[in-house]
Amino acid sequence: MMFKLPFKLALLLLAAVSGGVLWQQGQLAVLALSRIDPVPEPREMVAVGHYAEAAGYLDFFMEYDYVNQDPAAQALHAQIEQERGRVAYQAGKLKEGLFDGTSDETIGQAVGVASDLFVIGDLRDLTKQAINWGQGGEVDEVVAALAGIGVAATTAQVVSAMATVGTGGAAAPAAGATTVVKGGVIMLKAAKKLGKFPPWLGKAVLDGAAAVKRSGKLDPVSDLFGNVYTLAKTRGGFELLSHTIDASSLRRMATFTETFGNQSATLYRIGGDQALKVAQRAGDLGVATIKQAATFGQGGLRLLDKLGTFRFIKFSARAGKIAYKGDAIQLLARLLMGLPNWLLYLFVGVGAAVWVPWGWVARLHKPG
């Protein structure tokens, strides 16, 4: 009897714990997460001279107290900003844009774009490819196609601008559309130079150029280049473009950047396709909540998608209050979350079963 009671109490305790785990799985799942330490990655970027990329990544996390109050993060942020503010650094980036047509900083990108805004840049590329062809050299058909579309877009810009003046502004939307296509051409040229041009896009450009040539209009490429232009206006847009696999994924990526702006590249770096999936529910989940969940990595984004905004914020707030207890709580939460549900239900069932007065139940069912 003395052995039986402690055994039954132990099973009851096990059942209670299992029931609590089943009841509080959402809270335990949040406790099991660990927030990203955003210092190591940008340090590696700084080590190879990628200051703009490092700044974009670290800035994403500096919105949160656990980072902006960290002395290591503060020191790294100051180091990055100091380097980016140096005249020699800015001059170097301007040189990249002027001579290479590519840069990771705004000043270099602006200079690179300026050289391609005018038709001379497209004519230069067409001439270069024609010379290569005449000399039996390698011809980059995609560059030639982009240059052809660029010439058509520049021509359309001039015609639209003249029509806008003649119609008192009524033709302005058409001028805007041609600007979008021209912007897409410029970005894709730069993407080719940077090695960020996705393989699938080559055929799409060639088909689009053929359609533009046949129709004499930019309509066949307006949607495709419009989505590219959306990425072009976003910091890290080249990297985002390189991860697209078809026109549909390009459209999703463009919508993603419209939602998260210049933080899109960092958010995608953290969450990958999971970030794209959650972003489709940004209207329900909230942009700020998605960004907060991303500080926990892909696991945080998956959990937000599962729990919804209200429960995720509630559980995150509770987790923050007990964070001072350190890694022990996180380790315990991970261990408990690792138990399969069928096992937890089994413990609950067994714990309840041993306390059922089976003798009394048997007497009730015994024939009179």
Side-chain angles (χ1 to χ4, degrees), residues 275-288:
L276 289 177
K277 178 186 176 184
V278 174
Q280 294 176 10
R281 299 179 56 200
D284 297 326
L285 298 174
V287 170

Side-chain angles (χ1 to χ4, degrees), residues 135-279:
Q135 294 178 346
E138 184 178 354
V139 176
D140 192 325
E141 295 182 352
V142 174
V143 170
L146 286 171
I149 295 173
V151 170
T154 301
T155 303
Q157 277 182 319
V158 174
V159 173
S160 296
M162 294 174 62
T164 299
V165 173
T167 60
T178 57
T179 300
V180 167
V181 173
K182 183 69 175 178
V185 169
I186 293 171
M187 180 183 187
L188 292 181
K189 283 185 180 181
K192 288 280 289 181
K193 295 175 183 177
L194 291 170
K196 299 296 184 181
F197 194 94
W200 71 271
L201 196 50
K203 184 178 185 304
V205 168
L206 292 175
D207 291 344
V212 169
K213 185 177 181 180
R214 285 194 306 269
S215 66
K217 298 180 179 180
L218 296 174
D219 295 350
V221 296
S222 59
D223 287 342
L224 179 71
F225 281 67
N227 290 326
V228 170
Y229 184 66
T230 299
L231 297 184
K233 298 183 294 181
T234 306
R235 185 171 62 191
F238 292 112
E239 185 64 28
L240 295 173
L241 176 67
S242 70
H243 288 283
T244 61
I245 58 174
D246 54 28
S248 296
S249 67
L250 174 61
R251 191 179 306 112
R252 287 194 297 272
M253 195 70 84
T255 302
F256 179 71
T257 59
E258 287 176 340
T259 302
F260 294 99
N262 283 332
Q263 294 183 322
S264 302
T266 299
L267 183 57
Y268 184 81
R269 185 187 187 102
I270 296 168
D273 289 340
Q274 183 63 42
L276 289 177
K277 178 186 176 184
V278 174

